[in-house]
């Protein structure tokens, strides 16, 4: 919203609007779920500002619509473009279909993506995650087999934690840290305190077909949870916790981190693959939209 306010000021003061300006504002709309504002700018960019839409603008509009769950509209936009769609658009919409549970659109986009990039290794990771979210375990398994045949390894979840200028790295389920015993004891304490606050784990983020109890266990040992547990042990009371994560934070870790920030009175700054999350007093700067 600050970006939109600045854009309005820029226009009011007569500064010229170019394609980069439009793209920056549309990206702000995408990350804040401001669909109407993003759509207005996309529709008016050529008429009002003389900026011809490029592939990046179409891609950003698809992202805006997809993140907000308007998947039919996003597909219609891709189908009606004057420019040939690129693979990034299809990937964006497939991810959104996985999040919003739209199997048919997702599979149509998968066909287009594989026609365009049949040998791209990262696409098989995307397919595996998509089918796992749909609970189509055999299709997910098939995608993982194809990954293995191509020699592709999915990057494990990793979190870096800064404690007094020293970086500590954690992987999911990691037990190699010297303070591993204390970390896992703290995990148990955190779980108990969050349960008292009414937290119930959301297992939709678990990408394997295992028992519900095992899914809850897997969530508890995601890399950022281990990092937070160690930070609570090793850093000064009240000190901010700073984490860098290589993957997108899952919905359950996001919810639990919000609660940790309130229960333990800690500011937690987490940079995941998508954006910065600033947790404070049980809230996140992303407004639960990322």
């Amino acid at each position: 919203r600050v970006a939109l306010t600045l854009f309005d000021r820029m226009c009011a003061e007569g500064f010229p609007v170019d394609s980069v300006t439009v793209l920056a504002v549309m990206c702000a709309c995408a990350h804040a779920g401001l669909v109407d504002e993003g759509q207005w700018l996309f529709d008016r960019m050529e008429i009002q500002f003389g900026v011809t839409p490029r592939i990046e603008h179409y891609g950003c509009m698809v992202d805006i619509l997809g993140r907000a769950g308007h998947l039919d509209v996003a597909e219609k936009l891709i189908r009606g473009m004057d420019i040939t769609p690129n693979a990034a658009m299809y990937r964006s919409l497939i991810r959104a279909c996985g999040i919003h549970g739209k199997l048919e659109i997702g599979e149509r986009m998968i066909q287009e993506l594989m026609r365009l990039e049949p040998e791209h290794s990262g696409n098989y990771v995307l397919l595996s995650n998509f089918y796992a979210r749909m609970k189509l375990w055999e299709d997910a398994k098939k995608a993982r087999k194809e990954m293995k045949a191509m020699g592709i390894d999915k990057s494990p979840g990793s979190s870096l934690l800064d404690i007094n200028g020293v970086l500590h790295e954690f992987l999911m389920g990691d037990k190699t840290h010297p303070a591993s015993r204390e970390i896992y004891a703290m995990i148990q304490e955190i779980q108990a305190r969050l349960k008292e606050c009414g937290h119930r784990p959301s297992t939709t983020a678990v990408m394997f077909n295992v028992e519900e109890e095992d899914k809850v266990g897997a969530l508890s040992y995601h890399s950022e949870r281990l990092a937070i547990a160690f930070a609570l042990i090793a850093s000064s009371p009240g000190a901010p916790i700073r984490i860098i994560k290589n993957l997108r934070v899952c919905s359950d870790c996001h919810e639990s981190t919000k609660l940790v920030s309130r229960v333990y009175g800690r500011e937690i700054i987490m940079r995941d693959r998508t954006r910065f999350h600033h947790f404070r007093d049980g809230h996140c700067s992303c407004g639960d939209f990322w």
Side-chain angles (χ1 to χ4, degrees), residues 140-185:
K141 190 176 177 181
K142 182 183 174 184
R144 286 197 296 272
K145 280 184 177 178
E146 289 173 347
M147 285 165 55
K148 194 171 182 180
M150 294 174 70
I152 304 163
D153 286 322
K154 184 178 176 182
S155 298
S158 167
S159 291
L160 288 170
L161 171 71
D162 178 4
I163 298 285
N164 299 323
V166 178
L167 286 178
H168 299 259
E169 184 175 16
F170 298 90
L171 302 178
M172 179 179 171
D174 196 354
K175 292 188 176 178
T176 60
H177 195 279
S180 184
R181 182 175 296 180
E182 293 88 344
I183 290 168
Y184 279 80

Coordinates of all heavy atoms in Angstrom, one line a residue, residues 140-185:
A140 N 2.3 -38.1 -8.0 CA 3.5 -37.5 -7.3 C 4.7 -38.4 -7.3 O 5.8 -38.0 -7.6 CB 3.1 -37.1 -5.9
K141 N 4.4 -39.7 -7.0 CA 5.5 -40.7 -7.0 C 6.1 -40.8 -8.4 O 7.3 -40.9 -8.6 CB 4.9 -42.0 -6.6 CG 5.9 -43.1 -6.3 CD 5.2 -44.3 -5.7 CE 6.2 -45.5 -5.5 NZ 5.5 -46.7 -5.0
K142 N 5.3 -40.8 -9.4 CA 5.7 -40.9 -10.8 C 6.7 -39.8 -11.2 O 7.7 -39.9 -11.8 CB 4.5 -41.0 -11.8 CG 4.9 -41.1 -13.3 CD 3.7 -41.1 -14.1 CE 4.1 -41.1 -15.6 NZ 2.9 -40.9 -16.5
A143 N 6.3 -38.5 -10.8 CA 7.1 -37.4 -11.0 C 8.4 -37.5 -10.3 O 9.5 -37.1 -10.9 CB 6.4 -36.1 -10.6
R144 N 8.4 -38.0 -9.1 CA 9.7 -38.2 -8.3 C 10.6 -39.2 -9.0 O 11.8 -39.1 -9.0 CB 9.4 -38.5 -6.9 CG 8.9 -37.4 -6.1 CD 9.0 -37.6 -4.6 NE 8.2 -38.7 -4.1 CZ 6.9 -38.6 -3.7 NH1 6.3 -37.4 -3.8 NH2 6.3 -39.7 -3.3
K145 N 10.0 -40.3 -9.6 CA 10.7 -41.3 -10.3 C 11.4 -40.7 -11.5 O 12.6 -41.0 -11.8 CB 9.8 -42.5 -10.7 CG 9.5 -43.5 -9.6 CD 8.7 -44.6 -10.1 CE 8.5 -45.7 -9.0 NZ 7.6 -46.8 -9.5
E146 N 10.6 -39.9 -12.2 CA 11.2 -39.2 -13.4 C 12.4 -38.3 -13.0 O 13.4 -38.2 -13.7 CB 10.1 -38.4 -14.2 CG 9.1 -39.4 -14.9 CD 8.0 -38.6 -15.5 OE1 7.8 -37.4 -15.2 OE2 7.2 -39.2 -16.3
M147 N 12.2 -37.6 -11.9 CA 13.3 -36.8 -11.4 C 14.5 -37.6 -11.1 O 15.6 -37.2 -11.5 CB 12.9 -36.1 -10.0 CG 11.9 -34.9 -10.2 SD 11.1 -34.5 -8.6 CE 12.6 -34.2 -7.6
K148 N 14.3 -38.8 -10.4 CA 15.4 -39.6 -10.1 C 16.1 -40.1 -11.4 O 17.4 -40.2 -11.4 CB 14.9 -40.8 -9.3 CG 16.0 -41.6 -8.6 CD 15.5 -42.6 -7.6 CE 16.6 -43.4 -6.9 NZ 16.0 -44.3 -5.9
A149 N 15.3 -40.5 -12.4 CA 15.9 -41.0 -13.6 C 16.7 -40.0 -14.3 O 17.7 -40.3 -15.0 CB 14.7 -41.5 -14.5
M150 N 16.3 -38.7 -14.1 CA 17.1 -37.6 -14.8 C 18.2 -37.1 -13.9 O 18.9 -36.2 -14.2 CB 16.1 -36.4 -15.1 CG 15.1 -36.8 -16.1 SD 13.9 -35.4 -16.3 CE 14.9 -34.2 -17.1
G151 N 18.4 -37.7 -12.7 CA 19.5 -37.3 -11.8 C 19.2 -36.0 -11.1 O 20.1 -35.3 -10.7
I152 N 17.9 -35.7 -10.9 CA 17.5 -34.5 -10.2 C 17.3 -34.8 -8.7 O 16.6 -35.7 -8.3 CB 16.2 -33.9 -10.8 CG1 16.4 -33.7 -12.3 CG2 15.8 -32.6 -10.1 CD1 15.0 -33.6 -13.0
D153 N 17.9 -33.9 -7.9 CA 17.7 -34.0 -6.4 C 17.0 -32.8 -6.0 O 17.4 -31.6 -6.3 CB 19.0 -34.1 -5.7 CG 19.7 -35.5 -5.8 OD1 18.9 -36.5 -5.8 OD2 20.9 -35.6 -5.9
K154 N 15.8 -33.0 -5.3 CA 15.1 -31.8 -4.8 C 15.9 -31.2 -3.6 O 16.3 -31.9 -2.7 CB 13.7 -32.3 -4.3 CG 12.8 -31.2 -3.8 CD 11.5 -31.7 -3.4 CE 10.6 -30.6 -2.8 NZ 9.3 -31.1 -2.4
S155 N 16.0 -29.9 -3.6 CA 16.8 -29.2 -2.5 C 16.1 -29.4 -1.2 O 14.9 -29.2 -1.1 CB 16.9 -27.7 -2.8 OG 17.6 -27.5 -4.0
P156 N 16.8 -29.9 -0.2 CA 16.2 -30.0 1.1 C 15.9 -28.7 1.8 O 16.6 -27.7 1.5 CB 17.2 -30.8 1.9 CG 18.5 -30.5 1.3 CD 18.2 -30.3 -0.2
G157 N 14.9 -28.6 2.6 CA 14.7 -27.3 3.3 C 15.9 -27.0 4.2 O 16.4 -27.8 5.0
S158 N 16.3 -25.8 4.1 CA 17.5 -25.3 4.9 C 17.3 -24.0 5.5 O 16.7 -23.1 4.8 CB 18.7 -25.3 4.0 OG 19.8 -24.6 4.6
S159 N 17.7 -23.8 6.7 CA 17.6 -22.4 7.3 C 18.9 -22.0 8.0 O 19.5 -22.8 8.6 CB 16.5 -22.5 8.4 OG 15.2 -22.6 7.9
L160 N 19.3 -20.8 7.7 CA 20.4 -20.2 8.3 C 20.0 -19.2 9.4 O 19.1 -18.4 9.2 CB 21.3 -19.4 7.3 CG 22.0 -20.3 6.2 CD1 22.5 -19.3 5.1 CD2 23.1 -21.0 6.8
L161 N 20.7 -19.4 10.6 CA 20.4 -18.5 11.7 C 21.6 -17.7 12.1 O 22.7 -18.3 12.3 CB 19.9 -19.4 12.9 CG 19.7 -18.7 14.2 CD1 18.5 -17.8 14.2 CD2 19.6 -19.8 15.3
D162 N 21.4 -16.5 12.3 CA 22.5 -15.6 12.7 C 22.5 -15.4 14.3 O 21.5 -14.8 14.8 CB 22.4 -14.2 12.0 CG 23.5 -13.3 12.4 OD1 24.4 -13.6 13.2 OD2 23.5 -12.1 12.0
I163 N 23.5 -15.9 15.0 CA 23.6 -15.7 16.4 C 24.9 -15.0 16.7 O 26.0 -15.6 16.5 CB 23.5 -17.0 17.2 CG1 22.2 -17.7 17.0 CG2 23.7 -16.7 18.7 CD1 21.0 -17.1 17.7
N164 N 24.8 -13.7 17.0 CA 26.0 -12.9 17.4 C 27.0 -13.0 16.2 O 28.2 -13.1 16.5 CB 26.6 -13.4 18.7 CG 25.7 -13.2 19.9 OD1 24.9 -12.3 19.9 ND2 25.7 -14.2 20.8
G165 N 26.6 -12.9 15.0 CA 27.5 -12.8 13.9 C 28.0 -14.2 13.4 O 28.7 -14.3 12.5
V166 N 27.5 -15.3 14.1 CA 27.9 -16.6 13.7 C 26.7 -17.3 13.0 O 25.6 -17.3 13.6 CB 28.3 -17.5 14.9 CG1 28.7 -18.9 14.4 CG2 29.5 -16.8 15.5
L167 N 26.9 -17.9 11.8 CA 25.8 -18.6 11.1 C 25.7 -20.0 11.5 O 26.7 -20.7 11.5 CB 25.9 -18.4 9.6 CG 25.7 -17.1 9.0 CD1 25.9 -17.1 7.5 CD2 24.2 -16.6 9.2
H168 N 24.5 -20.5 11.8 CA 24.2 -21.9 12.1 C 23.2 -22.4 11.0 O 22.2 -21.7 10.8 CB 23.6 -22.0 13.5 CG 24.4 -21.5 14.6 ND1 25.2 -22.4 15.4 CD2 24.7 -20.3 15.0 CE1 25.8 -21.7 16.3 NE2 25.6 -20.4 16.1
E169 N 23.5 -23.5 10.4 CA 22.6 -24.0 9.4 C 21.9 -25.3 9.9 O 22.4 -26.1 10.6 CB 23.4 -24.4 8.1 CG 22.5 -24.9 7.0 CD 23.2 -25.2 5.7 OE1 24.5 -25.3 5.8 OE2 22.6 -25.3 4.7
F170 N 20.6 -25.3 9.6 CA 19.7 -26.5 10.0 C 19.0 -27.0 8.7 O 18.5 -26.2 7.9 CB 18.7 -26.0 11.0 CG 19.3 -25.5 12.3 CD1 19.6 -24.1 12.4 CD2 19.6 -26.4 13.3 CE1 20.2 -23.7 13.6 CE2 20.1 -25.9 14.5 CZ 20.4 -24.5 14.6
L171 N 18.9 -28.3 8.6 CA 18.1 -29.0 7.6 C 16.9 -29.6 8.3 O 16.9 -29.8 9.5 CB 18.9 -30.1 6.9 CG 20.2 -29.7 6.2 CD1 20.9 -30.9 5.6 CD2 19.9 -28.6 5.1
M172 N 15.9 -30.0 7.5 CA 14.8 -30.6 8.1 C 15.2 -31.9 8.9 O 15.9 -32.8 8.3 CB 13.7 -31.0 7.0 CG 12.5 -31.6 7.6 SD 11.3 -32.0 6.2 CE 10.2 -33.0 7.1
G173 N 14.7 -32.0 10.1 CA 15.0 -33.2 10.9 C 16.5 -33.4 11.3 O 16.9 -34.4 11.7
D174 N 17.2 -32.3 11.2 CA 18.7 -32.3 11.4 C 19.0 -32.6 12.9 O 18.4 -32.1 13.8 CB 19.2 -30.9 11.1 CG 20.7 -30.8 10.9 OD1 21.4 -31.9 11.2 OD2 21.2 -29.8 10.5
K175 N 20.0 -33.5 13.1 CA 20.4 -33.8 14.4 C 22.0 -33.8 14.6 O 22.6 -34.4 15.4 CB 20.0 -35.2 14.8 CG 18.4 -35.3 15.0 CD 18.0 -36.6 15.6 CE 16.5 -36.6 15.9 NZ 16.0 -37.9 16.4
T176 N 22.5 -33.0 13.6 CA 24.0 -32.9 13.6 C 24.5 -31.7 14.4 O 25.7 -31.6 14.7 CB 24.5 -32.7 12.2 OG1 23.9 -31.5 11.6 CG2 24.1 -33.9 11.3
H177 N 23.7 -30.8 14.8 CA 24.1 -29.6 15.6 C 24.6 -30.1 17.0 O 24.0 -31.0 17.6 CB 23.0 -28.6 15.7 CG 23.4 -27.3 16.2 ND1 23.7 -27.0 17.5 CD2 23.7 -26.1 15.5 CE1 24.1 -25.7 17.6 NE2 24.1 -25.2 16.3
P178 N 25.6 -29.5 17.5 CA 26.2 -29.8 18.9 C 25.1 -29.7 20.0 O 25.2 -30.4 21.0 CB 27.3 -28.8 19.1 CG 27.7 -28.4 17.7 CD 26.5 -28.5 16.8
A179 N 24.2 -28.8 19.8 CA 23.1 -28.6 20.8 C 21.8 -29.3 20.4 O 20.7 -28.9 20.9 CB 22.9 -27.1 21.0
S180 N 21.9 -30.4 19.6 CA 20.8 -31.0 19.1 C 19.8 -31.5 20.2 O 18.6 -31.3 20.1 CB 21.2 -32.2 18.3 OG 20.1 -32.9 17.7
R181 N 20.3 -32.1 21.3 CA 19.5 -32.6 22.4 C 18.6 -31.4 23.0 O 17.4 -31.5 23.2 CB 20.3 -33.2 23.4 CG 19.5 -33.8 24.6 CD 20.3 -34.6 25.6 NE 21.0 -35.8 24.9 CZ 21.8 -36.6 25.6 NH1 22.1 -36.4 26.9 NH2 22.3 -37.6 25.0
E182 N 19.3 -30.3 23.2 CA 18.6 -29.1 23.8 C 17.6 -28.6 22.8 O 16.5 -28.1 23.2 CB 19.6 -28.0 24.2 CG 20.5 -28.4 25.3 CD 21.8 -29.2 24.9 OE1 21.8 -29.6 23.7 OE2 22.7 -29.3 25.7
I183 N 17.9 -28.6 21.5 CA 17.0 -28.0 20.5 C 15.7 -28.9 20.5 O 14.6 -28.3 20.4 CB 17.7 -28.1 19.1 CG1 18.8 -27.0 19.1 CG2 16.7 -27.8 18.0 CD1 19.7 -27.1 17.8
Y184 N 15.9 -30.2 20.5 CA 14.7 -31.0 20.4 C 13.8 -30.9 21.7 O 12.6 -31.1 21.6 CB 15.1 -32.5 20.0 CG 15.3 -32.6 18.5 CD1 16.5 -32.2 17.9 CD2 14.3 -33.1 17.7 CE1 16.7 -32.3 16.6 CE2 14.4 -33.2 16.3 CZ 15.6 -32.8 15.8 OH 15.8 -32.9 14.4
A185 N 14.5 -30.7 22.8 CA 13.7 -30.5 24.0 C 13.0 -29.2 24.0 O 11.8 -29.1 24.4 CB 14.7 -30.5 25.2

